[in-house]
Amino acid sequence: MANHKSALKRIRRNEAVRLRNRYQHKTTRNAIRKLRAEENKEDAEKLLPEVIGMIDKLAKRNIIHANKAGNLKGKLTKHVAAL
């Protein structure tokens, strides 16, 4: 176990950040799933900018890799264009 007060504080902080990152990542994955399941092109086009914003936010905060974010955005944009 940690011996320093600052180390104990850091452990608490890391857990809070981990849970927040997990929540944001899961929410984004669900939004991506919802977008891929969308059949109507107009609804998908409205949903696409929101999902891209979520993906960009994850990449900016290093929750996902920047290249993965780019790949996801490209595939989703291609999917919506093909509807």
Side-chain angles (χ1 to χ4, degrees), residues 13-71:
R13 178 84 182 107
N14 286 344
E15 182 63 15
V17 169
R18 185 185 73 83
L19 291 174
R20 189 180 316 120
N21 288 345
R22 233 174 99 195
Y23 171 77
Q24 290 172 346
H25 195 186
K26 185 67 175 175
T27 305
T28 304
R29 285 200 307 264
N30 287 337
I32 290 169
R33 222 171 273 129
K34 183 179 175 186
L35 179 61
R36 284 193 177 128
E38 189 64 56
E39 298 292 329
N40 189 356
K41 185 166 182 157
E42 288 104 27
D43 292 340
E45 285 174 342
K46 287 178 188 169
L47 195 60
L48 184 64
E50 295 173 24
V51 174
I52 286 178
M54 293 169 87
I55 292 170
D56 284 337
K57 193 178 281 189
L58 290 180
K60 185 176 88 176
R61 294 179 177 167
N62 289 321
I63 298 171
I64 62 172
H65 196 275
N67 290 351
K68 178 175 179 153
N71 290 337

